[in-house]
Amino acid sequence: MATTFADLGVSKGVVNALTERGITDAFPIQAESIEAALEGRDICGKAPTGSGKTLAFGIPVVDLVGNGSPWQPAALILAPTRELATQIKDELAPLAKQHKKSVLTTFGGTNIQRDRNRLEQGVDILVACPGRLEDLISRRWCDLRDAGIVVVDEADRMADMGFLPAVKRLLDQTPNDRHTLLFSATLDGDVDQLIKRYQTNPLTVEVEEQVSDIGDVDHSWYLVQPSNRIDSAITVLEGYESAIVFCRTRRGCDRVAKMFNKRGLKSEAIHGDRSQGQRERALRDFTEGKARVLVATDVAARGIHVDNVALVMHYDPAGTDKDYIHRSGRTGRAGADGRVITMVVEDKQKVAKQLQKDLGIKPGFEPFRADDQPTKIATPSRSDNDRANSDHRKHADRNGNRGRTSRDSGDNPRSGGSQGRGARSRDDTRGSRDRDDRGARSRNDNRGGRDRDDRGTRSRNDGRGARSRDDDRARKTSDRPSGRAKRDDDKSGRPPQRRGRPKKNDWFPPE
């Protein structure tokens, strides 16, 4: 028998708001955690893609949160990426409205002065990425001493992205008797450190992935010549109406997308160097069908959800088995079928074979044959039964978001339509000028392979007007701080590649 939100003790106003969106029955992670959370117990949730984690922690936060005061939010939700933070805000805002509570998102790449003004007015629920939040605190524009409810979402992703030190510093500034909710795909290793240090006798809730929610996904590993990789990729992509292509580096993303567009395959790039407005526009164009291909780095592997993706292509093989799983998880969602293709150049066979072993796959590749590729495959659609579940099934993903779908007017990665709203910056509408806090560029410190947009600990004004990161790319390398670590998407441990024409067997396509 299905459990309703009313059965779990959720307030009448929130129940009504959920019902208006067609959400009546709780998912397992929600049914097992909401009631305990409403009673004040710490929750440690482990759940896979499609589990509905955002409402699992969002409903208790909305029902329990008090009133924030100037500079001091009453509840804090930490998220690893800008996309996820925006999803959470758009998911919770309609529910918070029932209790006349405010929700603010704050992350790098947006106007920090706007954040200051909102915090000065008083915010009840603050959804933040660690880098920008530490920046605000260092400027004495935010104080966490009254944050009685704290949520750490995607804790394993926080660890993967090197955020744990910042997360610990932030949690140390919250009250000792805070109510802590932590959600993650895994609960071991670094995540276990957070659990032991910041939670008190938490209720551990683990939900396994439902077989009915997993579509048939075909995995192929093709051996290709470096000089033929772009042609081979385009041959495959022309057979699909919707595809995500993963590249190892930011530069690779830009160049691959450029090559696709030159060949008439409408593509958008998304990675850490793109401004918030550019990322939102890319996602919006992709989810609305204006672009057939989204070319992304691993920043998109878990922070983005787009429904009905027919193909995931690893243009550059994933760095780890975990990365492969998260990338590939963008297709075959909610019962839809999908396909995953890995392009392996000759000098990367050894790396790819090790990846196959880590995944439990028998090592081996097949030669790429254009004649074997489909001529045209429509975007996968769900069955009538899946559609009958409307928002509730459509919008619960690894990030727990259940906002509107990518074709609706919902949120950014999960719901492409509203990607253009929420905490949208105006970078792209005015010649890619980034309106940062005081007319200056927000430069986040890139340390140890972190995403600049979400990790910078200090937004530094350079006094030259507000430039976007795309403009900054043209700056001389001497303008950059010395000692900067390797680029965030390069996980090889090698220094960033020099600018200029790539080598013959480089990962990047020819000019």
Side-chain angles (χ1 to χ4, degrees):
M1 181 177 178
T3 302
T4 66
F5 289 99
D7 295 336
L8 299 174
V10 178
S11 65
K12 185 177 179 180
V14 171
V15 170
N16 291 339
L18 293 171
T19 302
E20 290 177 359
R21 294 161 54 186
I23 303 174
T24 56
D25 298 333
F27 277 13
I29 187 69
Q30 300 158 356
E32 295 186 35
S33 62
I34 288 178
E35 187 172 15
L38 288 172
E39 294 173 354
R41 187 167 181 183
D42 286 358
I43 301 295
C44 176
K46 175 184 177 182
T49 298
S51 60
K53 287 181 287 186
T54 294
L55 289 185
F57 65 73
I59 289 174
V61 169
V62 168
D63 270 356
L64 297 176
V65 68
N67 294 321
S69 56
W71 317 115
Q72 297 176 334
L76 170 66
I77 300 175
L78 291 175
T81 66
R82 299 183 292 181
E83 285 76 20
L84 179 55
T86 302
Q87 290 177 36
I88 293 171
K89 185 260 185 180
D90 285 349
E91 184 71 13
L92 299 190
L95 308 183
K97 186 177 180 180
Q98 301 299 316
H99 295 308
K100 297 182 179 180
K101 302 297 182 182
S102 60
V103 183
L104 171 67
T105 54
T106 178
F107 41 75
T110 58
N111 192 323
I112 197 170
Q113 190 65 36
R114 182 213 63 161
D115 296 340
R116 179 196 181 282
N117 295 339
R118 286 291 309 277
L119 287 165
E120 183 178 20
Q121 297 170 12
V123 172
D124 302 319
I125 302 171
L126 179 64
V127 184
C129 291
R132 172 56 68 88
L133 181 54
E134 286 204 312
D135 190 356
L136 290 167
I137 291 172
S138 70
R139 295 169 184 249
R140 305 185 74 175
W141 291 348
C142 185
D143 190 318
L144 301 180
R145 70 182 67 184
D146 288 343
I149 304 176
V150 176
V151 177
V152 181
D153 193 17
E154 293 286 356
D156 56 327
R157 184 61 169 163
M158 294 278 198
D160 292 343
M161 298 173 71
F163 270 162
L164 280 191
V167 171
K168 291 177 181 178
R169 288 192 296 268
L170 292 169
L171 293 180
D172 286 340
Q173 298 178 55
T174 61
N176 291 331
D177 61 348
R178 69 188 164 273
H179 184 186
T180 309
L181 310 177
L182 181 147
F183 287 81
S184 176
T186 60
L187 300 178
D188 54 2
D190 292 331
V191 177
D192 188 50
Q193 295 180 20
L194 292 179
I195 296 170
K196 292 178 178 178
R197 181 170 174 175
Y198 296 104
Q199 291 194 297
T200 303
N201 188 30
L203 171 65
T204 300
V205 179
E206 298 189 20
V207 175
E208 298 299 327
E209 189 158 22
Q210 300 297 309
V211 176
S212 60
D213 287 340
I214 306 174
D216 292 329
V217 178
D218 177 51
H219 294 256
S220 301
W221 298 70
Y222 290 125
L223 184 62
V224 298
Q225 293 292 330
S227 59
N228 296 331
R229 189 160 49 143
I230 278 289
D231 291 338
S232 300
I234 291 176
T235 298
V236 173
L237 294 169
E238 285 177 341
Y240 295 85
E241 293 182 1
S242 176
I244 298 180
V245 175
F246 285 101
C247 294
R248 184 172 56 89
T249 66
R250 298 168 174 177
R251 185 184 179 205
C253 267
D254 288 335
R255 298 191 65 174
V256 169
K258 181 179 179 181
M259 294 297 294
F260 287 168
N261 281 309
K262 281 185 177 180
R263 299 284 291 276
L265 190 63
K266 178 60 177 174
S267 305
E268 292 287 348
I270 181 169
H271 51 70
D273 264 351
R274 315 266 348 228
S275 67
Q276 181 64 19
Q278 290 171 326
R279 289 166 77 160
E280 290 179 353
R281 183 182 63 184
L283 283 167
R284 185 171 64 253
D285 288 351
F286 180 64
T287 55
E288 292 178 354
K290 295 178 181 178
R292 289 173 59 183
V293 180
L294 185 68
V295 186
T297 56
D298 284 316
V299 70
R302 289 175 59 183
I304 292 176
H305 171 82
V306 180
D307 288 327
N308 303 333
V309 174
L311 170 72
V312 165
M313 176 180 289
H314 303 271
Y315 187 84
D316 297 333
T320 66
D321 55 336
K322 182 183 288 188
D323 291 338
Y324 180 91
I325 292 171
H326 293 320
R327 287 178 173 188
S328 303
R330 301 308 94 193
T331 189
R333 304 173 73 90
D337 296 340
R339 190 180 184 199
V340 177
I341 290 177
T342 302
M343 311 294 278
V344 183
V345 293
E346 290 185 339
D347 60 345
K348 297 298 179 181
Q349 290 185 67
K350 184 176 179 179
V351 173
K353 284 182 179 179
Q354 183 59 52
L355 177 59
Q356 289 177 322
K357 290 180 180 179
D358 294 340
L359 290 166
I361 300 172
K362 184 178 179 180
F365 316 110
E366 56 185 302
F368 180 81
R369 296 185 180 90
D371 293 342
D372 294 340
Q373 304 308 314
T375 55
K376 191 68 173 178
I377 294 181
T379 300
S381 59
R382 298 199 197 154
S383 66
D384 292 339
N385 289 336
D386 287 327
R387 289 194 187 93
N389 289 321
S390 187
D391 291 335
H392 194 37
R393 178 169 294 281
K394 287 192 233 182
H395 314 296
D397 72 344
R398 157 171 295 287
N399 299 328
N401 181 37
R402 291 202 231 152
R404 300 161 180 79
T405 68
S406 62
R407 307 291 182 191
D408 294 339
S409 58
D411 188 15
N412 68 345
R414 287 199 61 81
S415 39
S418 79
Q419 188 48 243
R421 64 188 179 108
R424 180 191 238 172
S425 76
R426 303 177 196 172
D427 316 4
D428 299 313
T429 60
R430 307 200 179 231
S432 75
R433 293 278 181 180
D434 185 11
R435 300 192 172 190
D436 201 18
D437 57 322
R438 292 170 193 159
R441 176 168 64 88
S442 176
R443 295 190 295 178
N444 292 329
D445 202 7
N446 179 23
R447 296 186 181 94
R450 300 181 183 175
D451 186 340
R452 295 178 196 171
D453 302 26
D454 296 327
R455 283 171 199 60
T457 57
R458 187 69 61 92
S459 179
R460 294 179 280 182
N461 297 326
D462 61 9
R464 292 194 268 285
R467 295 187 180 182
S468 71
R469 284 189 173 81
D470 286 345
D471 292 328
D472 293 334
R473 245 180 248 154
R475 291 165 59 95
K476 295 181 180 179
T477 56
S478 60
D479 290 336
R480 300 176 185 171
S482 62
R484 181 162 290 184
K486 61 184 173 60
R487 296 180 68 83
D488 66 321
D489 294 312
D490 184 356
K491 300 180 180 179
S492 65
R494 296 172 298 190
Q497 182 170 336
R498 295 169 54 192
R499 300 289 184 186
R501 193 172 188 84
K503 298 178 181 179
K504 181 178 180 181
N505 290 329
D506 197 270
W507 289 77
F508 306 123
E511 294 284 5

